[in-house]
Each structure stands twice: as structure tokens, then as C-alpha cells.
Amino acid sequence: MSDLLARHRAVMPNWLSIYYDEPIEIVRGKGNRVVDAEGHTYLDFFAGILTNMIGYDVPEVREAVERQIATGVVHTSTVYLLRGQIELAEKIARLSGIENAKVFFTNSGTEANETALLLATYARKSDQVLAMRQSYHGRSFGALSVTSNRSWKNNSLSPLNVHFLHGADRHLPQFRGLSDAEYIEVCVEDLRHVLATAVSNDVAALIAEPIQGVGGFTMAPDGLFKAYKEVLDEEGILFISDEVQTGWGRTGSAFFGIQNHGMTPDMMTFAKGLGNGFAVGGVVARGDLMDGPHAIGLATFGGNPISMAAANATLDYVLDHDLQSRAAVTGGILIDGLREAKGRLPIVGDVRGKGLMFAVELVDPATGAPAPALAGRFMEETKKLGLLAGKGGLYGNALRMAPPLTLTEDEAREGLGIIVTALETINEEVGK
């Protein structure tokens, strides 16, 4: 055990997840690669859990932050005007497509989701919330209430009255073999049944991830959430899209993940990649919802001048370089390549994703059962080969990868080669 790992275990909680049998310390980064304390270089396909959205040591971001630091003002709080905050809010409101949109900045996705739930329950005068099975929305009390993954829930206590819907669970026997249209029809009828049986009047909102992050990049078929919203609109129930992982063009086919469903939500939450590593989160919502609460509010660190400088520069970079289109191209190289390899790799149960947000699900080739041990083996093998990946899913057998949006086509092919090589090695081991 390294000295640093021993020190970590002595003072950090046991439940703090850390990757690899021999965890690494990342000490340098440039472009889409990082270097650990031992001098090993890795192509980064997890980007700090989708947070280093445009890679490492980006001059435009670094210089924007340095200019702000040079003013001597690194914090004032929201009781004063913050130019960077206003400028960023204007951009996000415009990009959101939400009517008369307003923005509130927080420090994280968890806090953003808490804010959205507050706005919805206040507006609807109800504690009833709908969420999706297999979802994850954060680690706080309210966010865990709408999280539907036993591995991430510590208790059943909740400030909300929550009911969970189908939509990203097509692996269940009752849904296997259904077409997208048939599955959407079944899920919509289930939603109507929930509204008729499990709740009283005035449900506040449905909160949903367009692609479930911790859920292993499982997702509803395009169009489901539009169909859900049509039902919700009949009763005035609000729709909150959790874009913490799917925002800013990552799916390639839309700038925000929910737009793949052909609809505009009442609110969207965001965080992670927007600051390219600097802490930022927030909510963009209809103006009437954002203005609704009567109590005074502020955010001490939300909208911080340093984070706003980084976020403005990051968002400008994404737009100026059309990284959404790049994600569609490089994501296509990776997903198509993995699907091609799947046919000769019995340990691969599924390949799924959109753009630069994709997953490989590993199974026991004899039974088809989830194989979390093989996922752990993959993590060690790709580390050895010089690539950083992530894992998760309801059963712990999903390898989830989301490289920076700046990934080049050559890097996509390099990463694909490493992933396939690791899968081939593991597949051969299992077959012996």
C-alpha cells in the first residue's frame, strides 16, 4: 500500500469510492491525457466523471481564470452584481429554449437538483414527485429521495413522496422484445396508472436524466419523455430534466439531452462539464417558476467570479469549436466500433450510448447474468494499457466512458483499440 493511500484511508470515509487495486494520483494533464505520480500517461475516457469537458490545460479557460484572479476579486457573493454570472446566465437562458428563462447558480449538480425540487414543490404546493427507476440525482437528503439505485441509498427517509416510473429498464422480462413504439406505449399507460392509483392530486414534477449516469448510461428511447410530458401537461405536472451529465452537446445529436426527445422541459439542472473542472452548477427554469418562492435566497459560492470566468470560457469554447458536431463524429467511431466487436465477444452483453457518452455491459457468457467482477477486471486492464474509464450501472457491470468533447478522431480510434484489446483479453481468460 502506498503511503498516500494509507493516509487517505486513515482520514477519509470508507464509503468514498476510489478506483483500482492500486489507486493513482493524477498530477499533470494536457489535452485529453493525464499523467500520474509514477509518470504513467493515460488517455482519459472518464474526464473526472464527465467534468473535464474540454480536456486539460486549455489556454482559453486558464487565461480567463488568471485574468479574474489578477483583479484581486475571487469572491463577493450574490448580494452584489456579478458581471460574469449575468453573462453566463444570458447564454444559458438563450440556449435552453425555455420560455422567459431565468438561471440560478449553485456549486454542484446535487445542489442544482435540490433547487429544482424546491421550485417545483413550491409552485405546485405538493411534496409528490415522480422519478425514474435506476436514476441518480445526487447525495443530499432530497436528491437521494429521487434516486432509484439501492447501492447509493443509505435509508428510506425522505422529505418527498416519490413514485418511480419505467423508461430505462428494457432489460426486464416484461419489456424484452418490444419495439421503441411499443415500449413507449406501455410506459405511458403505466404513468397514467400511477397517476390514477398511487398519488393524490397535484403531483409537483417528474425529474429525469435523459441518459442515466450512475445507472450505467441506460436511457429511454427517444420520444418517451415527450409522450410523458403530454400526459403530465394534462394535470400541470412539471418536468425537470437533469442535464448534469448530458448537457452542452455531449450526446452529439442535441445540445441538451432532453432535446433528443423533441420537447422542452419546464426546468433543466446542470453542473459538471460547464466549468471544465471548476465548481459550478445551476438551474434554468421558466421565469414564473424561478421567481415563485417568497422567502429570501442567495448563494454564497454559487456564481463565484472564478467559476463564472471558467464556465463562460468553457461554454464559448464548446460553441466556437462546434464540439457537439465533433462528439457526434468521434462518438460514432467509438460506438460503431464497439458494436462491431460485440459480435465476437460473448462477455459483451450490450453496447449503448449517444455521442461521447457510451457504455459496455459485461455479462457471464454462459448465463447472460451481469458480471461486475469482469468490469473490475476491465478497469485494471485498461489502466495497464493507458486508458482511464469508469464503471457503474444498477448491477455494477457497466463500463461507462465519456471522453472530453475535444477528443480527436485519432484519439477515438486509439481509445477504441485499447478498449477492444482489453475486452479480447478478458474474453479469452473467461473462455479458458
Side-chain angles (χ1 to χ4, degrees), residues 132-422:
M132 304 298 293
R133 293 189 182 193
Q134 303 177 185
S135 60
Y136 175 82
H137 295 286
R139 57 179 170 72
S140 62
F141 195 41
L144 279 177
S145 301
V146 289
T147 289
S148 176
N149 185 320
R150 187 172 180 177
S151 296
W152 292 83
K153 293 177 80 80
N154 286 304
N155 58 49
S156 62
L157 301 175
S158 172
L160 301 169
N161 184 348
V162 184
H163 295 276
F164 293 98
L165 304 177
H166 297 292
D169 47 11
R170 296 177 76 170
H171 64 285
L172 297 177
Q174 63 266 41
F175 302 130
R176 289 178 194 157
L178 296 182
S179 67
D180 285 356
E182 290 168 337
Y183 182 62
I184 289 172
E185 182 180 357
V186 167
C187 289
V188 168
E189 286 308 307
D190 179 71
L191 168 59
R192 289 190 181 279
H193 195 253
V194 168
L195 294 176
T197 61
V199 302
S200 64
N201 293 331
D202 301 326
V203 173
L206 165 62
I207 184 169
E209 303 159 274
I211 300 176
Q212 296 180 330
V214 166
F217 293 173
T218 46
M219 69 190 85
D222 289 350
L224 174 65
F225 290 134
K226 180 180 180 180
Y228 270 0
K229 192 172 191 306
E230 289 170 355
V231 176
L232 301 176
D233 285 347
E234 294 172 7
E235 300 192 20
I237 300 169
L238 303 172
F239 195 112
I240 304 167
S241 183
D242 180 342
E243 299 280 348
V244 168
Q245 297 198 25
T246 50
W248 323 115
R250 177 162 290 282
T251 68
S253 50
F255 198 68
F256 292 105
I258 198 64
Q259 293 168 346
N260 288 302
H261 291 260
M263 56 88 83
T264 301
D266 301 289
M267 306 184 216
M268 291 192 291
T269 59
F270 56 85
K272 286 193 182 290
L274 179 60
N276 203 48
F278 288 84
V280 60
V283 182
V284 55
R286 283 178 8 215
D288 61 304
L289 297 173
M290 190 68 80
D291 288 339
H294 66 273
I296 295 171
L298 55 77
T300 300
F301 289 106
N304 174 275
I306 302 297
S307 292
M308 293 297 95
N312 270 299
T314 299
L315 183 53
D316 289 348
Y317 191 99
V318 168
L319 296 171
D320 293 345
H321 293 81
D322 192 15
L323 295 189
Q324 178 183 331
S325 295
R326 183 184 291 192
V329 172
T330 52
I333 291 170
L334 287 155
I335 294 170
D336 291 348
L338 289 169
R339 285 178 174 157
E340 182 181 344
K342 176 181 180 296
R344 54 185 170 79
L345 296 168
I347 63 168
V348 177
D350 190 26
V351 173
R352 56 179 174 262
K354 286 183 184 292
L356 285 177
M357 191 173 186
F358 58 95
V360 178
E361 194 165 293
L362 299 188
V363 298
D364 183 321
T367 65
L374 296 185
R377 177 73 184 88
F378 175 90
M379 294 291 288
E380 296 298 332
E381 188 66 19
T382 48
K383 175 193 171 190
K384 184 174 73 175
L385 295 172
L387 182 136
L388 301 184
K391 62 185 177 72
L394 185 62
Y395 308 109
N397 66 320
L399 306 163
R400 53 190 187 123
M401 286 165 273
L405 302 187
T406 47
L407 192 76
T408 67
E409 293 182 36
D410 285 345
E411 288 171 332
R413 293 186 184 95
E414 177 188 350
L416 174 64
I418 293 173
I419 295 167
V420 171
T421 296

